[in-house]
Amino acid sequence: MRRFIPLVFIAPALFLIVLFTFWPVLSTLHLSFLQWNMISPRARWEGPGNYLSLLTGREFWLAGYNTLVYTVILLVFNLVLPYLVAYAVTRVPPRRQTPYKALIFAPGVISLAVASVIFLWLYNPVLGPVDILLRHLGLGAPAWLTGYRTVIWALSLITTWKLFGYNFIVLLAGLVAVPRELIQAAQLEGASGWQIFWHIIRPQTSATSLYVLVMTVVWGAQYVFVPIQMLTNGGPDYASTNLVFLIYQYGFGFFQAGKAAACAVLTLLVFLVLILLQARVLEKKVYYED
Amino acid sequence: MKVRRWSKEAPWHILLILTAVLSLLPFIWMLATAFKPEPEIFAGGLNPLPAVPTLANFRFVMERVPLFRYFANTLLAAVLITGLKMVTSILAAYGFTRFRFRGREFIFYLCLVSIFVPVQVTMLPNYLLISHLGWLNSFAGLVIPQLADAMGIFLLRQSIRTVPVSLFEAARIDGAGHLAVLRRVLLPAIKPAVVALAILFFINAWNEYYWPLLVLNDKSMYTLPLALQMFTNQEGGTAWGVMMAAASLTALPPLVVYLLTQRYVVDSFINSGLKG
Amino acid sequence: MTVIAESIQFEAVTKNYGRVTALREFNLEVAAGERMVLLGPSGCGKTTALRLVAGLEEAGRGKIYFGDRSVNDLPPGERGVAMVFQNYALYPHMTVAENMAFGLKMRRVPPDQIKARIDRAASMLGLEELLLRRPRELSGGQRQRAALGRAIVKEAPFFLLDEPLSNLDAQLRARARAELVSLHRQIGSTMLYVTHDQVEAMTVGQRIAVIAGGELQQVDTPERIYHRPMNAFVARFIGNPPMNLMPVKVAGNRLRMGGVSLQLPAVWAAWLAERPQGEITLGIRPEDLVLRAEAGPAGCSFPVRLTWQEDLGAEAVFYLQAAGELELVVRGRPGGVNTGDTLWVEINWERVHFFDGPGRSLGRPQALDRNDRSGAGGA
Amino acid sequence: MFQFKSRVKKKVPVFLSLLLLGAAAVAAGCGGPATQGAGGGTGGVTTIEYWHVNSESFGGQAVRDLVNEFNRTHPDVKVVDKFQPNMYLGLMQNLQAAIAGGHPPAVAQIGYNFLEYATANLPHQTVDDAAGQDKDGRAFLNDFRSNILDLGRVNGKLEGMPYSISDPVLYYNSDLFSRAGINGPPRTWDEVRRDARLIKEKTGNYGLYVQEPSDNWAQQAMMESNGAKVLTKKDGRATATFDSAAAVDAYQLMADMVLKDKTALHAPWDQGTQAFISGKVGMTVTTIAKRNYIESNAKFKVATVPFPTFGEKPRRVPAGGNALFIFARDPQQQKAAWEFIKYLESPAALTVWTKGTGYLPPRSGVLDDPKYLKPFMDANPLMKAAVDELPDLVPWVSFPGNNGLQCEQAMLDARDAILGGRQTPAGALHAAAEKVNQLIGK
């Protein structure tokens, strides 16, 4: 009987995860070999057809490439920048830190859907404040959401705005945890501010940074989905589609459940290597902290 | 001395003020638009503030939409999701840290992997399951599938590991059963992490949009993020002022809660070990 | 405060952690009400033994008895043990009083009794003023007392302490040792005390169990452990500075050690003649060597060079080198000698020990014990 | 709850998880609204659901008024209206799901561009069938013009009942026009291009914005008004013909205005509309359904003219809006659904509907009847342009087959590629047409 006690603790969560995550993944796998519009009583066996048409078409590859671009941009916006800002907070005296901590975290309470709508206005190529500002500076205003080159940046920025605060706080937590003795020891040895940052603070916060990095990479694709769906539908001409949106588009835009499922399976495969790697990385990091 | 100190700090303050302003800009935009009369919304310009503030948009929202009902729905759903997720996560995190059993690592990895499965992959089968169970338009259908989230398990496991093992052993010797250990020793010891995680869960649950969109089509069951959709219509035009008023009202509760408890929340995060 | 103490018995207990064996075929009996110290270097298995008693670990093989009941399957909360942890493990979110009350509440002790017990324990430990503080508002010594208090209020038949004094500074430690002993006299439960500190072991324990490499080396009174070590390990582990151990060769009434040849007293020569010949080890405690400025009678002393000395005020420790790379430590009166001096060492032959090749004690001639003044005689 | 004796304690987690599942079951049990269930008939009252896309900012109030009035006058039927977010695609998503889950609504608005897909894939009762079972059915349908009924027909069969009708018109900013020195509104696309240039030169603002939602409605109007056909049906087989010379020409004009003249704005619909209302764009081609929105938000004088023509070629504008489909399965509900549709299409109800939304009524005679819409039309002169176009209405192309919705996307991708300057109209349209033909063939 005692052997089953741990199971009792894990069971509720595990049951939910199996039922609402793993079972659907398996049924998605099955679905990916069918042609089915989700309602007709009969689904047609398609074999590898869905996969072939995805892999031979350009949409999947474009979406894959864009996913990569989003990831790189988000890493800069959502890891490097918040790290810098969190570091800045630690450089001012504690009693002046509070308003910054409060204000920078605040946007995190707004939903991405609302954020997307707000940015629709901010990005208006004719009357948005960004463009007015640029025109005052004598620069041409790009059409953010219809420009091939700008659209990914524009959508990434919305996601950044929403997630910045959370990552900022997490990174700040990591920075605050760096032992003061280490920094003081380095100061005694005459290290400059930059040297202290690079040789002491950066390595000491690597565990936290790694966590934010992993989460940004994996969740970036999902978070960016909301502004894509709300503002561009993946356009112009797939320039802002990512893999997660492509799944949605096939499933809920074209009602091609089989193809959506195949896309989901391929996406999961792409992530799989990443997932295993990250799971290891996460575990290892935990080990270091023990 | 004082001057030197300021000159050293100033660049950081500039960076921080800039970040804070940029963070708040869209926020201000939302609030300002909510207080603008309709034609003024389209006026454009760099000054976002309304020339003649009006409550008309808020009045419209209150008249047309049972906002308090949606507020109650959202609150109930968010509280249920947060509460139940905390319970299952805490139990599981305890199970994964305080016991050794065969397959523990494997099961944990399985949970970990589930974090990375995009919801879009599971959306359709889950919808069919929920509809098969007859849970469409119900709190069960709204809440239960959203409980499948291993993030809490992962983060709580991290912070439980920072609690000295001897504390648990002392409690066992004191004759405390697992639940007593959980409630009276573990939870107080990791309170910051629990609070921070609960806040995170709550904000996410409050703002959840896609799953409610799928399972709720009865207006009386709507949550606030869905209610926002009641003011958009591509063909007829979106009532921006009204929508922003609704969005402001939607964002207000979590924002007020956050600002009131801001010090505590931020400290919770910093003390929580949720840094992963 | 009356506690019905019971005995603890380990019966061939083996505990493995993966491939590492923490305890091997461990047998030990602790009498009811006894103060038993488990002593050994870190990683020797002493803490494992304690945790097995507490029920925090499950024995791989073998049995543990409380009285005549096997407790192998009993969870910790039902074993009637009270334990003080090395880091005290005080619940950080509870006051001292709440910490003390927690175990009693779990046991559904009525509130008025809980209060009475806490008051009693608090007055015993001088904790009255601290009852409403939280652990982080206490000093190290206060925390240790609070942890003791939490254990005492349970009035448990078994009182387990895992290195309870290791986080205290030296002065506090000496006082705490004495307090612990008097505390145990008042409560009377069976006490199992784990430490790596021989001074603690000698001062606290009624008996000491020396453990090394997961195996029991010797169980005895502190005096016998010191004066009658059963093997070279115990001999060297107990005492500071440690016993001098030197490989020696015996030929007739002469003893060769390094480059030194000495005359054996007759009683030893005769006794050693009956023992197995070959490589044996001679053990002499530093206080059983006498340092002289001049040579004594021929063959009774040997010359050494003073390489280093530590003056401790009341006494001094001399580090010496004799012919043939032989190194010795001697305790004596400070002053009068300088590093580099050549001095003479004489052995107090009544107090030497001989160990065989594997390190087992060879014992000693009965004749010597008749006029033994060490008080370690008897069975 | 945590104060159990030590032996019971171990069982508490079990208990807790049971509690969790129990709570879930309870929530499931009491959460479901009473209106669910296929039968829906209790005590002689048939309850039916009506799904619509009318938000509070566009027709929501009118839907409520109509449903209340119907329920008041039809005691044996109870209509429950359910708003579906995210327009017709959102409604279709939920509809697919509801059908898959076995709880379809009785009546739903189907956007005309989903007509083919809904007909082929969603089990429904055709309007022909519903009217056939009703002795007054024929007479009822006779009150609708044939080219209007065509909007709900697929392969000659009346599948859904045309309900809301919109058409694209050209709105213009009179103030900007006078500042640019333009005397009258443009009638043809050549004039549009010329006026746009003038506006740009004289005022520095954009001349034109043609709506760019996730459909090709306005683009179809341009192509077909230039004599092209988006889709040609021959012997029951549909072929994409939107890469014909006439179609390419129409698109070329648009592309030139965006890319070469830089007088036309290329932006998502919401942004383009925002820009026009803010006075930064001289003209916009968009649906008449936006009239009230534009009129009430713009600070300048707005006017409308019919969709511009290509020279003397006939104007052909697709109808926007929706048809009402019957998805009820139960005969009782089907009957109630048909009753409700007939009510919604009655002159009095259509009057409420047009006033509440700005859609044009599908039924003849309502517009000029002083009892119904005449006063409203007189009060809203901007509606005239839309009414004038009614004879030029053609069905909105809706691609057939399982991949129909993907075909629409292929055309959208071509639009992005052309207006983004990535591809020439000829190249992009040709590639898209090939893709569409392949998708239709499957």
Side-chain angles (χ1 to χ4, degrees):
Chain A
M1 186 55 211
R2 274 174 86 168
R3 280 181 39 208
F4 294 106
I5 295 175
L7 238 65
V8 169
F9 280 91
I10 293 164
L14 192 65
F15 172 75
L16 288 164
I17 290 170
V18 167
L19 186 63
F20 293 112
T21 304
F22 287 109
W23 180 81
V25 166
L26 288 182
S27 85
T28 296
L29 189 65
H30 172 71
L31 219 55
S32 73
F33 293 103
L34 305 177
Q35 195 192 69
W36 187 44
N37 64 5
M38 288 153 60
I39 39 171
S40 82
R42 260 190 323 215
R44 209 174 73 206
W45 180 256
E46 186 78 7
N50 290 321
Y51 290 97
L52 287 178
S53 88
L54 271 178
L55 291 173
T56 51
R58 73 183 184 115
E59 291 88 354
F60 179 78
W61 299 107
L62 271 173
Y65 173 75
N66 289 343
T67 306
L68 194 74
V69 176
Y70 276 118
T71 303
V72 173
I73 295 175
L74 285 180
L75 278 184
V76 174
F77 282 0
N78 267 344
L79 174 62
V80 180
L81 283 185
Y83 191 106
L84 190 71
V85 174
Y87 180 69
V89 167
T90 64
R91 304 304 298 158
V92 304
R95 73 212 140 78
R96 283 200 278 272
Q97 289 177 2
T98 313
Y100 295 128
K101 288 190 218 162
L103 294 178
I104 295 173
F105 186 74
V109 302
I110 292 195
S111 79
L112 258 175
V114 171
S116 302
V117 171
I118 297 171
F119 273 87
L120 180 74
W121 274 91
L122 300 181
Y123 284 148
N124 192 302
V126 178
L127 64 148
V130 184
D131 298 272
I132 295 174
L133 214 64
L134 285 177
R135 231 169 303 128
H136 273 297
L137 297 172
L139 298 166
W144 300 103
L145 296 179
T146 48
Y148 281 84
R149 287 209 186 76
T150 49
V151 66
I152 284 186
W153 290 90
L155 298 186
S156 299
L157 209 65
I158 301 174
T159 313
T160 298
W161 183 70
K162 159 83 181 163
L163 285 179
F164 192 93
Y166 174 70
N167 288 355
F168 159 77
I169 288 290
V170 171
L171 288 165
L172 182 61
L175 283 167
V176 168
V178 176
R180 290 210 62 78
E181 298 82 35
L182 283 179
I183 296 169
Q184 284 160 354
Q187 279 168 343
L188 284 180
E189 285 169 20
S192 69
W194 167 253
Q195 283 169 325
I196 289 173
F197 173 79
W198 191 255
H199 294 292
I200 310 281
I201 294 171
R202 190 189 50 88
Q204 280 286 313
T205 51
S206 66
T208 312
S209 312
L210 205 62
Y211 165 75
V212 174
L213 181 137
V214 166
M215 289 305 158
T216 303
V217 169
V218 177
W219 282 351
Q222 286 186 63
Y223 280 122
V224 134
F225 166 82
V226 179
I228 297 177
Q229 196 259 353
M230 302 275 298
L231 301 185
T232 68
N233 266 306
D237 194 14
Y238 293 96
S240 66
T241 300
N242 76 350
L243 286 170
V244 171
F245 181 76
L246 202 63
I247 299 170
Y248 172 85
Q249 193 174 37
Y250 279 120
F252 294 90
F254 303 156
F255 302 119
Q256 299 172 356
K259 218 161 169 186
C263 191
V265 171
L266 288 178
T267 303
L268 280 180
L269 281 180
V270 171
F271 280 170
L272 191 68
V273 187
L274 216 62
I275 289 166
L276 292 178
L277 210 77
Q278 281 154 351
R280 286 199 84 110
V281 162
L282 282 178
E283 271 307 289
K284 208 165 174 185
K285 187 186 67 54
V286 169
Y287 175 72
Y288 286 146
E289 281 197 347
D290 269 356
Chain B
M1 196 65 199
K2 209 155 190 182
V3 175
R4 236 191 86 194
R5 207 194 147 93
W6 264 106
S7 71
K8 243 175 115 179
E9 259 178 51
W12 300 116
H13 280 290
I14 291 170
L15 174 68
L16 288 169
I17 290 168
L18 200 72
T19 310
V21 167
L22 285 178
S23 297
L24 287 185
L25 199 66
F27 220 86
I28 293 167
W29 187 275
M30 172 179 79
L31 277 174
T33 307
F35 284 102
K36 280 181 185 174
E38 277 196 325
E40 209 193 306
I41 291 169
F42 292 90
L46 272 180
N47 178 11
L49 300 180
V52 195
T54 171
L55 287 173
N57 295 322
F58 291 96
R59 226 174 288 129
F60 187 89
V61 172
M62 301 302 235
E63 272 167 20
R64 292 301 186 86
V65 165
L67 206 72
F68 286 106
R69 192 190 170 107
Y70 295 165
F71 184 86
N73 288 345
T74 317
L75 190 68
L76 181 61
V79 166
L80 274 176
I81 289 169
T82 307
L84 292 174
K85 243 162 94 170
M86 288 309 292
V87 170
T88 58
S89 301
I90 288 168
L91 286 179
Y94 183 81
F96 279 123
T97 41
R98 300 300 309 136
F99 297 97
R100 294 173 171 279
F101 53 92
R102 261 173 59 154
R104 183 178 79 164
E105 297 308 302
F106 175 76
I107 297 174
F108 179 72
Y109 269 101
L110 215 61
C111 290
L112 201 61
V113 164
S114 80
I115 295 175
F116 304 133
V117 176
V119 282
Q120 286 74 12
V121 173
T122 56
M123 230 175 190
L124 180 62
N126 279 343
Y127 175 82
L128 295 177
L129 177 69
I130 290 303
S131 102
H132 190 75
L133 291 169
W135 283 3
L136 291 180
N137 279 315
S138 75
F139 269 102
L142 177 63
V143 168
I144 292 175
Q146 292 195 58
L147 301 180
D149 178 4
M151 199 59 207
I153 302 177
F154 172 71
L155 291 177
L156 286 174
R157 178 169 167 267
Q158 299 288 84
S159 50
I160 292 177
R161 285 177 159 201
T162 62
V163 177
V165 178
S166 58
L167 224 53
F168 297 107
E169 292 177 338
R172 282 177 73 192
I173 285 175
D174 275 343
H178 286 298
L179 278 197
V181 170
L182 244 175
R183 200 177 74 111
R184 311 188 63 163
V185 177
L186 176 62
L187 286 188
I190 59 167
K191 197 163 136 204
V194 170
V195 170
L197 191 64
I199 288 166
L200 206 64
F201 279 171
F202 184 82
I203 291 174
N204 286 345
W206 184 275
N207 286 328
E208 177 60 32
Y209 172 64
Y210 283 96
W211 183 249
L213 183 68
L214 217 54
V215 291
L216 304 178
N217 56 38
D218 182 344
K219 256 197 294 194
S220 68
M221 294 288 295
Y222 269 20
T223 58
L224 287 170
L226 279 194
L228 290 186
Q229 290 295 310
M230 300 174 76
F231 305 103
T232 68
N233 181 300
Q234 276 234 303
E235 198 175 3
T238 294
W240 298 108
V242 177
M243 191 186 170
M244 287 301 148
S248 305
L249 291 172
T250 303
L252 217 55
L255 191 68
V256 166
V257 169
Y258 167 70
L259 286 179
L260 287 180
T261 60
Q262 176 270 125
R263 237 202 138 83
Y264 188 60
V265 172
V266 172
D267 289 347
S268 290
F269 270 105
I270 287 174
N271 298 328
S272 65
L274 287 203
K275 49 198 188 289
Chain C
M1 186 181 293
T2 43
V3 165
I4 299 153
E6 278 187 290
S7 65
I8 302 170
Q9 191 186 343
F10 290 84
E11 191 182 278
V13 174
T14 298
K15 172 74 186 171
N16 297 311
Y17 294 107
R19 271 200 229 133
V20 181
T21 302
L23 278 183
R24 182 178 294 119
E25 294 291 317
F26 189 76
N27 289 295
L28 177 69
E29 202 173 337
V30 185
E34 187 181 16
R35 252 187 346 266
M36 170 69 84
V37 173
L38 304 181
L39 176 68
S42 62
C44 70
K46 58 188 191 297
T47 297
T48 303
L50 188 80
R51 294 167 60 81
L52 282 165
V53 172
L56 296 174
E57 305 284 349
E58 280 177 52
R61 264 176 293 144
K63 294 234 170 230
I64 294 173
Y65 295 94
F66 286 1
D68 49 10
R69 296 170 298 143
S70 160
V71 293
N72 282 41
D73 294 325
L74 219 53
E78 294 169 30
R79 290 193 179 195
V81 299
M83 184 161 168
V84 176
F85 290 83
Q86 181 169 12
N87 61 0
Y88 312 135
L90 291 168
Y91 308 121
H93 53 284
M94 299 184 198
T95 63
V96 172
E98 284 167 345
N99 261 287
M100 290 162 87
F102 183 70
L104 303 179
K105 273 191 198 154
M106 290 293 113
R107 238 169 277 276
R108 328 211 113 249
V109 176
D112 50 333
Q113 255 199 58
I114 294 181
K115 194 181 169 336
R117 287 207 212 173
I118 290 176
D119 288 344
R120 202 159 48 203
S123 74
M124 270 165 82
L125 292 163
L127 280 170
E128 294 97 331
E129 307 295 312
L130 307 175
L131 282 177
L132 295 180
R133 298 225 197 134
R134 283 174 209 279
R136 69 166 164 276
E137 298 159 348
L138 301 178
S139 72
Q142 290 168 333
R143 281 182 208 181
Q144 193 258 342
R145 282 150 180 279
L148 272 178
R150 185 173 70 179
I152 288 171
V153 288
K154 287 160 102 180
E155 300 179 2
F158 305 101
F159 198 42
L160 313 181
L161 301 102
D162 184 6
E163 309 250 9
L165 308 181
S166 62
N167 287 339
L168 299 184
D169 59 54
Q171 278 194 342
L172 270 179
R173 217 183 286 183
R175 227 180 70 199
R177 287 197 298 258
E179 279 175 4
L180 265 178
V181 171
S182 88
L183 207 63
H184 176 251
R185 291 211 180 99
Q186 291 177 62
I187 58 179
S189 45
T190 308
M191 179 160 138
L192 210 52
Y193 186 111
V194 163
T195 184
H196 67 275
D197 183 323
Q198 44 156 324
V199 179
E200 245 171 84
M202 302 286 285
T203 48
V204 171
Q206 288 170 322
R207 282 199 298 158
I208 298 172
V210 181
I211 304 171
E215 291 180 58
L216 188 62
Q217 305 294 320
Q218 185 173 358
V219 191
D220 245 322
T221 60
E223 292 79 7
R224 284 191 59 82
I225 291 276
Y226 190 80
H227 293 290
R228 297 288 178 269
M230 302 243 304
N231 58 37
F233 173 82
V234 175
R236 204 169 157 78
F237 188 70
I238 303 282
N240 187 25
M243 183 185 279
N244 295 296
L245 287 177
M246 295 154 289
V248 294
K249 272 207 176 103
V250 176
N253 62 353
R254 297 218 53 96
L255 179 135
R256 281 195 70 80
M257 133 178 120
V260 180
S261 175
L262 288 170
Q263 171 91 45
L264 264 176
V267 58
W268 280 111
W271 184 81
L272 279 170
E274 292 165 24
R275 312 286 137 189
Q277 301 298 308
E279 191 79 16
I280 58 173
T281 304
L282 169 68
I284 322 166
R285 293 211 177 270
E287 62 267 32
D288 297 332
L289 289 169
V290 185
L291 209 53
R292 297 187 189 289
E294 286 139 32
C300 287
S301 60
F302 55 95
V304 292
R305 200 169 61 84
L306 182 62
T307 56
W308 178 243
Q309 59 173 329
E310 286 170 355
D311 187 342
L312 302 175
E315 60 168 23
V317 179
F318 303 99
Y319 295 85
L320 309 158
Q321 192 159 27
E325 306 290 294
L326 195 65
E327 294 194 359
L328 287 171
V329 182
V330 174
R331 251 158 118 161
R333 306 265 298 272
V337 290
N338 295 312
T339 302
D341 287 357
T342 297
L343 301 163
W344 296 81
V345 168
E346 198 179 304
I347 295 172
N348 177 353
W349 287 104
E350 283 191 10
R351 299 289 194 87
V352 300
H353 308 259
F354 284 100
F355 303 96
D356 66 5
R360 278 187 303 254
S361 170
L362 293 174
R364 50 198 267 117
Q366 269 180 356
L368 279 175
D369 281 342
R370 250 170 252 136
N371 52 359
D372 188 3
R373 305 177 312 271
S374 68
Chain D
M1 130 164 219
F2 290 87
Q3 306 287 330
F4 284 85
K5 283 201 181 126
S6 65
R7 208 150 301 142
V8 189
K9 271 171 193 156
K10 279 176 216 147
K11 294 188 181 130
V12 171
V14 189
F15 171 74
L16 206 71
S17 28
L18 284 177
L19 196 80
L20 205 79
L21 290 176
V26 170
C30 59
T35 52
Q36 268 229 335
T42 41
V45 177
T46 308
T47 302
I48 58 171
E49 280 184 18
Y50 168 43
W51 282 17
H52 62 91
V53 300
N54 299 101
S55 66
E56 290 306 317
S57 56
F58 185 66
Q61 190 60 46
V63 169
R64 248 192 317 272
D65 292 346
L66 289 171
V67 166
N68 288 343
E69 180 63 13
F70 178 81
N71 285 340
R72 201 177 57 79
T73 54
H74 297 73
D76 53 334
V77 180
K78 181 170 187 277
V79 176
V80 177
D81 75 288
K82 288 198 170 169
F83 165 70
Q84 302 298 322
N86 214 355
M87 295 304 291
Y88 299 113
L89 178 65
L91 186 143
M92 284 296 282
Q93 287 168 358
N94 284 344
L95 190 57
Q96 293 262 118
I99 291 171
H103 310 287
V107 178
Q109 298 178 345
I110 299 295
Y112 291 122
N113 52 334
F114 289 96
L115 189 69
E116 282 268 1
Y117 183 82
T119 300
N121 292 291
L122 310 183
H124 62 284
Q125 186 194 27
T126 65
V127 170
D128 274 343
D129 187 29
Q133 291 178 14
D134 176 7
K135 60 181 169 44
D136 304 327
R138 279 296 121 205
F140 168 74
L141 289 180
N142 282 339
D143 270 353
F144 295 82
R145 251 189 264 159
S146 174
N147 80 319
I148 298 290
L149 287 182
D150 278 348
L151 304 179
R153 287 203 174 99
V154 175
N155 297 328
K157 218 175 181 175
L158 190 57
E159 303 279 354
M161 190 64 208
Y163 180 45
S164 309
I165 291 173
S166 60
D167 49 19
V169 296
L170 184 129
Y171 295 77
Y172 63 97
N173 181 334
S174 305
D175 299 357
L176 271 185
F177 266 49
S178 18
R179 269 169 59 199
I182 305 165
N183 288 325
R187 303 281 159 194
T188 65
W189 279 101
D190 285 340
E191 291 172 21
V192 168
R193 188 170 185 180
R194 186 201 61 205
D195 291 349
R197 276 201 192 114
L198 280 172
I199 292 167
K200 168 131 195 172
E201 278 164 27
K202 296 277 164 60
T203 71
N205 288 309
Y206 281 105
L208 175 70
Y209 173 70
V210 178
Q211 71 166 51
E212 293 178 30
S214 322
D215 61 55
N216 297 283
W217 192 58
Q219 287 67 34
Q220 182 191 340
M222 287 186 74
M223 290 183 187
E224 301 213 338
S225 290
N226 198 25
K229 288 280 275 177
V230 170
L231 202 63
T232 308
K233 283 196 180 175
K234 223 166 119 189
D235 315 325
R237 243 191 84 82
T239 316
T241 46
F242 56 76
D243 57 344
S244 64
V248 170
D249 275 354
Y251 243 114
Q252 189 68 55
L253 173 80
M254 197 63 232
D256 285 347
M257 286 183 71
V258 169
L259 300 166
K260 223 194 266 166
D261 302 359
K262 300 205 194 302
T263 54
L265 179 63
H266 168 45
W269 196 9
D270 279 325
Q271 290 188 338
T273 308
Q274 288 164 4
F276 177 76
I277 294 176
S278 75
K280 309 276 191 220
V281 180
M283 302 170 268
T284 185
V285 170
T286 192
T287 168
I288 191 64
K290 271 214 161 72
R291 175 202 46 90
N292 181 44
Y293 184 68
I294 292 175
E295 225 179 348
S296 60
N297 281 305
K299 280 182 169 166
F300 49 86
K301 190 176 173 301
V302 196
T304 55
V305 286
F307 189 81
T309 58
F310 285 86
E312 298 303 311
K313 291 181 193 164
R315 175 188 300 115
R316 302 175 70 81
V317 285
N322 56 64
L324 299 173
F325 268 64
I326 303 172
F327 294 106
R329 306 248 170 98
D330 166 76
Q332 184 87 16
Q333 285 206 321
Q334 287 178 337
K335 230 179 115 220
W338 177 240
E339 268 319 301
F340 181 57
I341 290 177
K342 281 205 298 184
Y343 166 77
L344 288 180
E345 302 272 8
S346 67
L350 286 173
T351 302
V352 174
W353 190 231
T354 296
K355 283 181 179 169
T357 58
Y359 282 128
L360 299 167
R363 198 169 180 139
S364 324
V366 186
L367 280 168
D368 348 302
D369 194 323
K371 267 199 313 208
Y372 300 119
L373 280 171
K374 181 129 199 326
F376 175 77
M377 286 298 160
D378 292 343
N380 291 284
L382 267 63
M383 293 291 282
K384 189 173 176 302
V387 174
D388 289 351
E389 286 176 3
L390 278 175
D392 307 324
L393 275 190
V394 295
W396 186 358
V397 165
S398 149
F399 293 92
N402 280 334
N403 298 320
L405 304 176
Q406 204 179 349
C407 295
E408 181 89 26
Q409 185 63 41
M411 270 187 88
L412 286 177
D413 297 341
R415 184 178 80 195
D416 287 339
I418 295 167
L419 299 183
R422 279 278 163 111
Q423 279 178 290
T424 63
L429 290 174
H430 183 65
E434 280 200 330
K435 184 173 179 183
V436 167
N437 283 330
Q438 211 187 353
L439 284 169
I440 295 177
K442 267 195 191 158

